[in-house]
């Protein structure tokens, strides 16, 4: 009971932390807009400077995008870590992000623009196909390889392969397309219109709700595939659902925000340290909020540096030490990597 | 064992390959009759000596530190040391690291002297690109990296290179290729940049034509400037790049060129010679106050004000957009970065027309967005 209480307390703390960081992100920036004006604008009123409503809308949108993107990456990392039974699995490491990047690269370096409607639709579909394609290939390989570390290496190889392919595409592309792709690849939670934010949050929200269908299978999979099967879990169905959910979550974030690194691996690990419960009914929402917290913290840091720091630099500074700590911990437990 | 011995011999032979410099049997010399005088450009100097002309290119701001020199032989009996970079007036063949140099060659109708270029596909003018292709110009670069084999194959008499990020100048010397650092982009005024045509005139042994071209354009430019009446209006520049907005330095050619039409830069107080980076929201705030918005960007043909608004709806709050004072140079349509260097008078006229200071003109580079 005490453990349950602690976890709920952590959930509340993280939720409050996310809200607090969102408020800080909205209230701070290069243009000083007073709290009174912010409240006025958020309640639909008008202020003297007409650009301020766009500035506040932009800050609000990027805060929402950061929370949902971080949450989605954290959750897909958690699911993949349980399914592959490897604490270093995640959308970035397993090549899912690279697959989405390849899809985006084919469309963008092929001449489609991020600004046009058809370009955006094409980019979303291509990113999704790329991510799901890599995940699907990994699962085929997983049938022949039992060792999860080897599978991880296969994922890294997919990442290298897609990067090489993207480099070839860059050689053929013109300057503008290459610039567009490079800017996208630096990662950012900025630039989505209100309509896109609505679409983005709806897809992630729907994906997150679907993850609750996985609570029971994930709880069982912690003990391994055979144990889960003996508990009546349909492994094949679970695997398909995992492909679909993690592929959609990771690719939608990658398409709209660029390949954001480290959150997908670091957050589930960090939350596991804080929470003793193995029940994914509590771990999933905590990881979502933890991912959101880390992402909005990273975005706030980016903005406070006057956008001098790229998003991926900040997530790496925060996330890499956590991953190193995980590797050291695994070594201590004599788990081979 | 036999194989190892054989391979060792092969390696030894390869390492003993002798490199030969480009030689010519009969050497012509440069003429020193038509002298060039550098009045505005800070990045190069020309001095005349017994038997040779010395060209020195150098940095003149804190951005980068470099100095380079080349000797043009006017008399074969000169007392120059053997190891200096020299050119005789044979039909000189050039390689260019930047396509901006092409405009200078084109002004002399001497594109056929260019044998290799970095980034042929990025040449903006279709006619120019077609001429380069039909001349069999060698592509020097894969992405931004110079391919040494391509350069050696082209075997130019002079490789014109830009100074930033450069330390391998001596490398080329070892390979028998003369280089000259060209820092025309570091000049602070359009006229100073234009004056680099004198340096290209010297290299092509056509100093007289260079002097004539410069004087003519300079005169036209100054005559236009005399028509300018200073107006109490401000301008901002360019477009954001993701969340950042790079505003050119107040010392930059682009800003000074716009100031030549009598309007003042919103960020004129900013020091230094490098672009200043602002967040997008900071410029959104300023945009509501600045009278003019000058944009130099690559966009689809016939880019309109509505297209600009579709990039971000916040632009409709900009004073310049409300008053239709957005002046746009579409680098997809015009060769602003190359040909624009040798046609500053047309750019100035465009800007005067766009700011309604002259009545009759057909804009080339800058047009008011409608």
């Amino acid at each position: 009971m005490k453990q349950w209480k602690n976890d709920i307390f952590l959930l509340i703390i993280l939720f409050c932390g996310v809200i607090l960081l969102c408020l800080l992100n909205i209230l701070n920036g290069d243009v000083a807009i007073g709290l009174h004006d912010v409240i006025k604008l958020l309640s639909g009123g008008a202020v003297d400077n007409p650009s301020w409503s766009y500035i506040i809308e932009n800050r609000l949108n990027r805060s929402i995008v950061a929370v949902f993107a971080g949450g989605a990456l954290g959750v897909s990392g958690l699911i993949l870590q349980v399914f592959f039974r490897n604490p270093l699995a995640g959308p970035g490491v397993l090549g899912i992000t690279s697959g989405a990047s390849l899809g985006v690269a084919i469309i963008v370096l092929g001449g489609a623009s991020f600004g046009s409607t058809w370009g955006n639709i094409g980019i979303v579909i291509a990113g999704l196909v790329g991510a799901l394609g890599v995940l699907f290939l990994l699962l085929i390989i997983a049938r022949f390889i039992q060792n999860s570390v080897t599978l991880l290496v296969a994922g890294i190889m997919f990442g290298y392969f897609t990067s090489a392919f993207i480099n070839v595409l860059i050689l053929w592309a013109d300057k503008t397309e290459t610039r567009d792709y490079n800017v996208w690849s630096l990662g950012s939670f900025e630039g989505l219109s209100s309509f896109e934010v609505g679409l983005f949050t709806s897809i992630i929200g729907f994906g997150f709700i679907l993850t609750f269908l996985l609570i029971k299978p994930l709880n069982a999979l912690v003990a391994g595939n055979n144990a889960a099967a003996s508990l009546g879990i349909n492994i094949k169905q679970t695997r398909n659902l995992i492909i679909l959910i993690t592929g959609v979550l990771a690719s939608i974030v990658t398409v709209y925000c660029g390949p954001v690194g480290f959150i997908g691996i670091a957050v589930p690990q960090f939350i596991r340290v804080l929470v003793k419960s193995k029940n994914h009914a509590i771990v999933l929402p905590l990881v979502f909020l933890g991912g959101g917290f880390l992402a909005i913290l990273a975005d706030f840091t980016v903005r406070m540096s006057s956008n001098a720091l790229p998003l991926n630099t900040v997530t790496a500074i925060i996330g890499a030490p956590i991953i190193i700590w995980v590797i050291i911990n695994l070594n201590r437990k004599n788990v081979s990597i | 064992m036999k194989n190892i011995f054989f391979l060792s011999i092969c390696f030894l032979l390869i390492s003993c390959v002798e490199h030969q410099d480009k030689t010519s049997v009969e050497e012509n010399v440069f003429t020193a009759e038509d002298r060039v005088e550098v009045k505005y450009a800070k990045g190069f100097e020309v001095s005349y000596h017994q038997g040779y002309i010395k060209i020195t290119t150098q940095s003149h701001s804190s951005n980068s530190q470099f100095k380079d020199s080349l000797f043009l032989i006017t008399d074969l009996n000169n007392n120059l040391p053997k190891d200096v970079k020299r050119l005789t007036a044979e039909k000189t063949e050039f390689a260019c690291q930047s396509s901006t140099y092409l405009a200078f060659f084109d002004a002399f109708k001497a594109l056929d002297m260019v044998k290799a270029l970095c980034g042929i596909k990025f040449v903006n003018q279709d006619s120019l690109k077609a001429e380069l292709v039909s001349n069999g110009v060698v592509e020097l670069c894969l992405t931004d990296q110079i391919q040494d084999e391509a350069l050696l194959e082209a075997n130019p008499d002079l490789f014109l290179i830009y100074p930033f990020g450069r330390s391998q100048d001596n490398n080329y010397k070892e390979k028998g290729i003369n280089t000259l650092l060209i820092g025309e982009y570091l000049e602070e005024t359009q006229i100073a940049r234009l004056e680099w045509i004198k340096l290209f005139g010297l290299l092509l042994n056509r100093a007289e034509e260079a002097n004539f071209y410069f004087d003519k354009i300079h005169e036209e430019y100054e005559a236009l400037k005399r028509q300018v009446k200073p107006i109490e209006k401000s301008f901002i520049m360019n477009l954001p790049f993701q969340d950042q907005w790079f505003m050119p330095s107040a010392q930059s050619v682009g800003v000074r060129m716009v100031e030549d039409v009598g309007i003042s830069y919103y960020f004129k107080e900013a020091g230094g010679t490098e672009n200043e980076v602002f967040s997008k929201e900071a410029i959104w705030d300023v945009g509501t106050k600045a009278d003019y918005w000058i944009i130099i960007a690559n966009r689809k043909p016939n880019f309109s004000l509505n297209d600009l608004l579709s990039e971000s709806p916040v632009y409709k709050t900009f004073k310049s957009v409300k008053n239709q004072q957005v002046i746009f140079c579409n680098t997809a349509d015009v060769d602003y970065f190359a040909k624009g260097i040798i046609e500053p008078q047309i750019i100035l006229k465009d800007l005067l027309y766009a700011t309604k200071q002259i009545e009759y003109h057909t804009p080339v580079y800058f047009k008011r967005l409608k």
Side-chain angles (χ1 to χ4, degrees):
Chain A
M1 189 63 189
K2 195 188 170 192
Q3 183 187 306
W4 183 251
K5 267 186 184 171
N6 280 346
D7 293 346
I8 295 293
F9 181 68
L10 184 64
L11 199 72
I12 293 165
I13 291 283
L14 272 176
F15 182 76
C16 292
V18 167
I19 298 294
L20 188 70
L21 278 170
C22 282
L23 284 174
L24 278 174
N25 218 24
I26 293 166
L27 290 171
N28 287 284
D30 285 354
V31 178
I33 303 173
L35 181 64
H36 179 253
D37 286 328
V38 173
I39 293 167
K40 217 173 176 182
L41 285 165
L42 288 174
S43 55
V47 291
D48 291 343
N49 191 324
S51 70
W52 285 6
S53 63
Y54 291 93
I55 292 172
I56 294 300
E57 185 189 17
N58 188 52
R59 291 178 188 174
L60 179 66
N61 281 352
R62 71 186 291 166
S63 303
I64 294 170
V65 169
V67 172
F68 274 77
L73 290 173
V75 166
S76 64
L78 172 75
I79 295 171
L80 291 168
Q81 285 171 12
V82 174
F83 184 72
F84 287 107
R85 295 174 58 75
N86 191 318
L88 291 176
V93 176
L94 287 170
I96 302 165
T97 308
S98 305
S101 299
L102 178 62
V104 172
I106 288 171
I107 300 293
V108 173
L109 297 173
S113 154
F114 275 107
S116 70
T117 312
W118 286 110
N120 271 347
I121 292 169
I123 289 164
V124 172
I125 292 171
L128 197 63
V129 169
L132 291 176
V134 168
L135 200 51
F136 189 70
L137 281 172
L138 271 177
L139 286 164
I140 290 173
I141 293 173
R143 285 182 168 191
F144 305 103
I145 299 169
Q146 295 304 315
N147 188 327
S148 61
V149 176
T150 314
L151 198 62
L152 207 69
V153 174
I156 292 168
M157 289 306 116
F158 275 128
Y160 279 123
F161 179 77
T162 51
S163 298
F165 201 78
I166 291 167
N167 284 340
V168 173
L169 291 175
I170 287 172
L171 283 179
W172 289 336
D174 76 18
K175 255 182 190 169
T176 315
E177 292 154 8
T178 309
R179 186 203 63 187
D180 284 352
Y181 178 77
N182 286 337
V183 167
W184 170 84
S185 66
L186 289 173
S188 173
F189 298 127
E190 193 271 339
L192 271 68
S193 66
S194 292
F195 171 75
E196 285 170 322
V197 172
L199 187 72
F200 182 78
T201 50
S202 302
I203 295 170
I204 289 176
F206 183 66
F208 184 59
I209 290 167
L210 278 183
T211 58
F212 282 90
L213 297 176
L214 288 172
I215 288 173
K216 199 179 161 195
L218 286 175
N219 286 342
L221 277 169
V222 173
N225 278 6
N226 292 339
S230 66
L231 286 170
I233 301 297
N234 184 335
I235 298 293
K236 196 178 173 189
Q237 199 182 48
T238 303
R239 190 185 63 193
N240 291 341
L241 203 54
I242 282 173
I243 294 177
L244 189 74
I245 292 172
T246 53
V248 167
L249 289 179
S251 62
I252 202 77
V253 174
T254 307
V255 164
Y256 279 111
C257 309
V260 181
F262 295 98
I263 293 177
I265 310 180
V267 170
Q269 292 304 322
F270 196 63
I271 293 296
R272 278 210 184 94
V273 174
L274 298 176
V275 185
K276 296 294 171 205
S277 169
K278 299 275 186 205
N279 187 352
H280 285 82
I282 187 78
V283 177
L284 271 170
L286 275 171
V287 166
F288 188 89
L289 283 174
F293 183 85
L294 182 62
I296 188 92
L297 181 66
D299 190 51
F300 184 66
T301 311
V302 168
R303 290 190 60 232
M304 289 307 105
S305 74
S306 294
N307 296 295
L309 290 169
L311 177 65
N312 271 323
T313 307
V314 179
T315 55
I317 288 169
I318 303 170
I322 297 174
I323 296 168
I324 291 168
W325 172 80
V326 170
I327 294 169
I328 293 169
N329 230 18
L330 286 174
N331 245 10
R332 262 197 218 140
K333 290 175 186 170
N334 275 336
V335 179
S336 62
I337 295 174
Chain B
M1 190 63 193
K2 249 183 189 177
N3 286 342
I4 292 169
F5 180 72
F6 177 72
L7 281 173
S8 309
I9 293 294
C10 285
F11 276 122
L12 280 173
L13 284 174
I14 290 163
S15 61
C16 292
V17 170
E18 233 178 79
H19 306 290
Q20 289 180 328
D21 288 343
K22 199 175 187 177
T23 54
S24 62
V25 181
E26 191 185 329
E27 288 186 310
N28 287 329
V29 290
F30 281 89
T31 171
E33 279 171 27
D34 299 299
R35 296 195 165 203
V36 303
E37 194 186 335
V38 186
K39 290 178 192 164
Y40 303 93
K42 293 178 185 169
F44 78 98
E45 288 170 1
V46 179
S47 57
Y48 290 82
H49 305 266
Q50 189 67 41
Y52 63 90
I53 304 165
K54 183 182 179 187
I55 296 176
T56 308
T57 59
Q58 64 211 352
S59 54
H60 51 88
S61 66
S62 54
N63 280 352
S64 51
Q65 292 298 318
F66 66 91
K67 194 165 188 170
D68 197 4
S69 53
L70 178 75
F71 296 85
L72 306 180
I73 307 300
T74 55
D75 185 345
L76 291 174
N77 296 316
N78 57 64
N79 55 2
L80 276 174
K82 265 191 169 177
D83 61 340
V84 297
K85 291 192 280 188
R86 62 173 75 206
L87 269 190
T88 50
E90 288 301 304
K91 190 173 182 263
T92 312
E93 293 179 341
F94 295 89
C96 301
Q97 191 179 7
S98 167
S99 56
T100 56
Y101 312 149
L102 293 179
F104 293 109
F105 286 100
D106 198 33
F108 294 99
K109 302 280 171 241
L111 268 186
D112 58 328
M113 309 294 251
V114 178
K115 295 296 164 195
L117 175 69
C118 190
I120 297 173
K121 72 173 178 179
F122 299 127
V123 173
N124 228 2
Q125 261 180 286
D126 289 340
S127 59
L128 216 65
K129 200 190 282 182
E131 196 176 338
L132 293 171
V133 172
S134 74
N135 288 347
V137 171
V138 173
E139 174 56 75
L140 276 185
C141 295
L142 199 62
T143 63
D144 280 341
Q145 290 293 311
I146 294 165
Q147 304 300 297
D148 281 357
E149 277 196 27
L151 182 63
L152 292 169
E153 184 202 339
N155 196 18
D157 298 289
L158 188 64
F159 182 25
L160 303 173
I161 52 183
Y162 46 69
F164 59 83
R166 179 145 308 282
S167 58
Q168 70 270 45
D169 188 19
N170 288 333
N171 236 351
Y172 293 122
K173 203 176 173 187
E174 281 167 21
K175 289 167 186 161
I177 290 170
N178 281 331
T179 55
L180 183 63
L181 292 168
I182 302 288
E184 108 287 340
Y185 63 93
L186 295 171
E187 296 295 345
E188 290 166 359
T189 66
Q190 283 280 37
I191 294 303
R193 273 183 101 173
L194 172 69
E195 202 169 26
W196 279 74
I197 200 163
K198 293 179 179 175
L199 181 139
F200 283 83
L202 277 173
L203 296 176
L204 294 165
N205 206 15
R206 290 161 77 172
E208 186 188 6
E209 287 170 62
N211 284 331
F212 178 78
Y213 187 94
F214 176 80
D215 292 342
K216 182 174 163 281
I217 303 295
H218 182 213
E219 205 172 290
E220 278 181 42
Y221 193 89
E222 292 302 322
L224 282 169
K225 261 178 80 174
R226 282 194 288 274
Q227 296 182 29
V228 172
K229 300 171 199 101
I231 30 182
E232 293 281 311
K233 294 204 167 165
S234 59
F235 70 93
I236 55 169
M237 286 192 82
N238 297 337
L239 285 164
F241 197 65
Q242 216 181 25
D243 198 30
Q244 294 181 319
W245 203 309
F246 293 86
M247 280 293 164
S249 144
Q251 261 58 258
S252 71
V253 173
V255 168
R256 290 192 167 176
M257 174 186 72
V258 183
E259 283 181 332
D260 277 350
V261 296
I263 53 178
S264 56
Y265 191 35
Y266 201 93
F267 302 98
K268 62 185 171 190
E269 307 301 333
T273 52
E274 298 199 347
N275 286 343
E276 202 169 344
V277 187
F278 293 91
S279 69
K280 210 158 65 171
E281 65 175 51
I283 305 301
W284 287 0
D285 191 39
V286 167
T288 58
K289 300 161 204 155
D291 300 287
Y292 288 97
W293 184 7
I294 316 287
I295 305 171
I296 302 163
N298 187 310
R299 289 294 185 275
K300 65 176 189 179
N302 301 318
F303 189 76
S304 68
L305 202 54
N306 274 338
D307 293 325
L308 181 67
L309 287 174
S310 71
E311 290 190 8
S312 181
V314 66
Y315 297 153
K316 67 183 171 215
T317 67
F318 280 27
K319 192 176 176 184
S320 54
V321 173
K322 282 179 183 166
N323 299 331
Q324 301 220 343
Q325 301 290 14
V326 181
I327 301 168
F328 186 69
C329 172
N330 194 345
T331 56
D333 293 337
V334 288
D335 199 6
Y336 169 80
F337 292 110
K339 206 171 180 197
I341 300 172
I342 61 162
E343 294 182 338
Q345 85 287 14
I346 296 178
I347 293 177
L348 189 63
K349 213 167 184 179
D350 285 351
L351 291 168
L352 285 169
Y353 182 72
T355 53
K356 297 176 185 167
Q357 297 189 60
I358 56 170
E359 277 188 39
Y360 306 105
H361 173 63
T362 308
V364 179
Y365 292 96
F366 285 91
K367 292 168 187 170
R368 198 129 49 87
L369 277 189
K370 288 175 183 164

